[in-house]
Each structure stands twice: as C-alpha cells, then as structure tokens.
Amino acid sequence: RLRRLAGASLLALLASGVAMPAFAQEGHDFYANFHPNYSGGNTLSLVIFGEEGTVGTITTLDGLSLDFTIDASGVFQTALDRLLVEQDMSGTVNGASVHVMADHAVSGIALNRLQYTSDQTVLLDSKGLGKEYRLLAWDSVAGGSQVSITATDDGTEVTITSPVNLVGGFLANTPFTVTLNKGESISFNPEGNTGDLTGMHIVGTADLAVFGGTTCAQVPVGLAACDHIISQNFSVDHFDKSFVLVPNFGGGTDGDLIRVIAAQDNTEIFLNGASQGILNTGEWKEIDQVNASLLSSSAPVMVGQYMRGEDGTRELGDPAFAIVPSTKQWLKSYVYATPVGAEVFLQNFI
C-alpha cells in the first residue's frame, strides 16, 4: 500500500515551490482524477516514480492512450489533455479517470497547475484502496465542494449519502446508488454550486478511488486568497489513531488548519494530549492554528491538513490540501523530486 512521510510538503503556490516526495508501494497500477480548477487554461500533469526500465501505459476510457518508460532519473512526467481527463462534476457517469499500469511497482502524483491556483495529490495504488469512505473536502467561494469516485471493477454498485443536495437532483441525507464499470467515474458539485461535501458516506461493492477538494478554497473561510485544492482520500480501513503534524514552509507565526473525521461512535480526539471533544460516526472537527503537534484518537480517524492563504503572517503560498498519513505508515527511505519543464516553480522546499 502506498505510504507517505507525515507532514510531506503541500504544494506551495504563487512564487514559491512544490515538494514532490515519492513513495514506496506494492502496486503496479493506480488511478488519477483531475477536478476543474478555478478557471480554464490550467495544465494537468502526471508524475510517475519507479525503477529504471519500468514500462507501462496511461489510459482513459475517453480515449487517452500513452506508453511510458522510466529512465535513470526514476521519474517520468507528462502533460495530459485536459479535455480527455478532467472530471465534469455533472453527476453523470464519465470515462475521464486516468489509469496507470506498469510492469513493476510505481507510485504517482497528479498536479493541477494554473497561475495563482494550483494543487497536487498523491495517488494511492490499487492495493491501497477500499470499499468505504468518509469524505474530507472543503467549501468554495466559487463552486462548492468537489468529489469524484472511480470504480476498479465492472458492475460496482456505489451507494452515496451526501450531507447537502447534489447536482443531478440527488437529495441531502438520502442514500442513492449508481453502478460503475471498471475505470468509470461519477463526480459532483453541490446543487447550486455552494456547500461542503465533507462527511459524505461512500460505499462500494468493490474497491473505489475517491478524490475530494474544491475549485477555489479560502483557508480559513474569509482569508484571501482562494486556491484549487484536491487530495485522494483514504478508505475507512486505512484510518488510524496517531499522527504527527508538521507546519508548512512560509507560514510565519500562523499554523495550518486540520480536519479530523471519525468512522466510529464515541471517538475522542486529542491534540498534544488535550481533549478536543468526541465525534460520532461520520462527524468531523476543524482545528485551526495547528503547528508542530501530535494528534491522537481513541478510535481510527482520517486527518486532512490545509495550508492557510497568503494573508496574515503567511509569507509564501495559498491554500493546499493533503491527507496526513499516520505514524504507522512512515518508511525508512524516500525519494524527493520537483516538477520539470513547463511546471517549474521558483522555489522548492524539503
């Protein structure tokens, strides 16, 4: 299963940089979903890490087909046609999810780049996926939350319960079921393009890849400026109970914001040993101004870390979003890389 260093750098925006850590994993394939950015003209890039000589394919059901070979650098990067790979958030089935298959173990990152509004997500290999999810996302000043769900097997029935009304006429707190074949996706904005999908319950009869975020987030709400954010979510069976939170570079005296979501009733949350309250199944809590800290819980949870906007004391960057891995998911070695070509950032941090 894909595992990531806790506190691995979020994407830093504007004139700053991006840290792209690579990850050890067992799987030979993964899915990448791209959500609409704040406006058109964004470039979408896929970064694949693996051993020299690894070969594979990059495909979508909508017609994308590319072959790749990883050279001595251990990194392959390519731009993708936005018209073929971007989710449409319409609540209808689509074939835009990118499927990477390789002859050796690989890992990946998906980067959605637009001047002033960019973010990336780590991509979980197929062995790290699951059947049940409790979504972490964010609201938006322009378009509401975004979620996309991709099936890994034919005939997968997906039951969705949303905390708010969805495009397509799906009502809040009313479960509905859609059927997806392998590689097919369904993606949503809230009805009226306003509302937060955090807490959405998603259950499949086979493993799913689930991505959450928003078009343009203010973190916290009311703090300029807004940015596109996205992160692939962990399934409930990969929730855990101990997390180290590391502040992002350039934050000044401000800390980051975190969200914690529970999968069981009576889950107590602790920050540096101090109780932050009790959550029931599907409930979530937001804690702002978090610096270097230990977060723990009495039952497994998922933790999202959100970088604050460039206001207040933040020196570099605007909102970005990452799911934080637990301490049990740490590894002994990592690969560090930065974007190349058209995706170069002026500064990079580790």
Side-chain angles (χ1 to χ4, degrees):
R1 290 174 174 81
L2 178 145
R3 297 171 179 174
R4 181 179 61 178
L5 175 67
S9 298
L10 295 169
L11 177 63
L13 308 170
L14 298 173
S16 44
V18 51
M20 280 189 161
F23 310 90
Q25 60 182 32
E26 302 171 351
H28 291 205
D29 80 302
F30 56 80
Y31 288 88
N33 288 0
F34 294 89
H35 295 173
N37 208 316
Y38 181 67
S39 62
N42 50 313
T43 58
L44 307 180
S45 297
L46 182 67
V47 183
I48 303 171
F49 301 91
E51 296 180 359
E52 181 181 3
T54 297
V55 298
T57 59
I58 304 167
T59 61
T60 70
L61 297 180
D62 284 348
L64 175 69
S65 181
L66 296 172
D67 296 328
F68 71 89
T69 301
I70 297 178
D71 62 20
S73 71
V75 181
F76 175 85
Q77 179 171 330
T78 185
L80 300 175
D81 186 342
R82 186 164 59 92
L83 297 179
L84 292 178
V85 304
E86 190 170 84
Q87 299 284 322
D88 61 11
M89 301 294 142
S90 66
T92 59
V93 175
N94 69 74
S97 184
V98 178
H99 189 202
V100 174
M101 298 184 67
D103 66 343
H104 292 89
V106 288
S107 59
I109 288 173
L111 172 63
N112 192 327
R113 176 82 170 106
L114 183 65
Q115 188 178 22
Y116 306 127
T117 167
S118 305
D119 204 9
Q120 65 178 6
T121 178
V122 173
L123 302 170
L124 306 178
D125 70 77
S126 59
K127 292 185 178 182
L129 304 179
K131 297 181 177 66
E132 182 183 8
Y133 290 81
R134 294 282 182 176
L135 186 73
L136 281 181
W138 194 266
D139 201 353
S140 175
V141 296
S145 283
Q146 298 171 324
V147 61
S148 60
I149 303 161
T150 303
T152 63
D153 201 1
D154 288 342
T156 301
E157 295 184 355
V158 185
T159 300
I160 301 167
T161 308
S162 173
V164 300
N165 293 343
L166 299 174
V167 296
F170 301 103
L171 300 179
N173 303 311
T174 304
F176 64 95
T177 299
V178 297
T179 300
L180 301 175
N181 288 323
K182 182 177 181 178
E184 289 183 337
S185 304
I186 191 165
S187 53
F188 297 96
N189 281 129
E191 185 179 67
N193 292 327
T194 181
D196 195 339
L197 298 179
T198 293
M200 174 183 280
H201 191 206
I202 303 163
V203 180
T205 56
D207 287 346
L208 306 168
V210 174
F211 296 75
T214 191
T215 306
C216 209
Q218 291 180 336
V219 179
V221 175
L223 185 71
C226 78
D227 255 62
H228 171 70
I229 62 172
I230 186 172
S231 196
Q232 185 169 6
N233 277 217
F234 290 169
S235 56
V236 166
D237 57 327
H238 291 109
F239 285 18
D240 215 333
K241 297 192 290 186
S242 179
F243 305 82
V244 170
L245 301 170
V246 179
N248 281 285
F249 186 88
T253 58
D254 283 322
D256 291 330
L257 182 147
I258 65 168
R259 282 184 170 183
V260 185
I261 192 165
Q264 299 178 23
D265 288 344
N266 299 312
T267 299
E268 189 167 10
I269 309 301
F270 301 90
L271 190 67
N272 297 322
S275 178
Q276 305 297 304
I278 293 176
L279 301 175
N280 287 325
T281 304
E283 292 182 341
W284 54 277
K285 182 176 185 63
E286 190 172 290
I287 309 172
D288 198 6
Q289 295 290 359
V290 177
N291 288 296
S293 301
L294 173 65
L295 185 138
S296 58
S297 57
S298 62
V301 298
M302 182 169 65
V303 179
Q305 184 172 358
Y306 300 77
M307 193 166 80
R308 298 171 71 85
E310 192 176 18
D311 204 345
T313 65
R314 170 159 286 285
E315 301 163 357
L316 295 168
D318 269 328
F321 171 34
I323 301 296
V324 181
S326 70
T327 55
K328 290 182 180 178
Q329 294 173 309
W330 292 4
L331 297 171
K332 295 181 179 178
S333 64
Y334 297 86
V335 174
Y336 177 86
T338 58
V340 298
E343 305 310 329
V344 168
F345 290 78
L346 297 183
Q347 298 181 41
N348 302 282
F349 313 104
I350 189 168

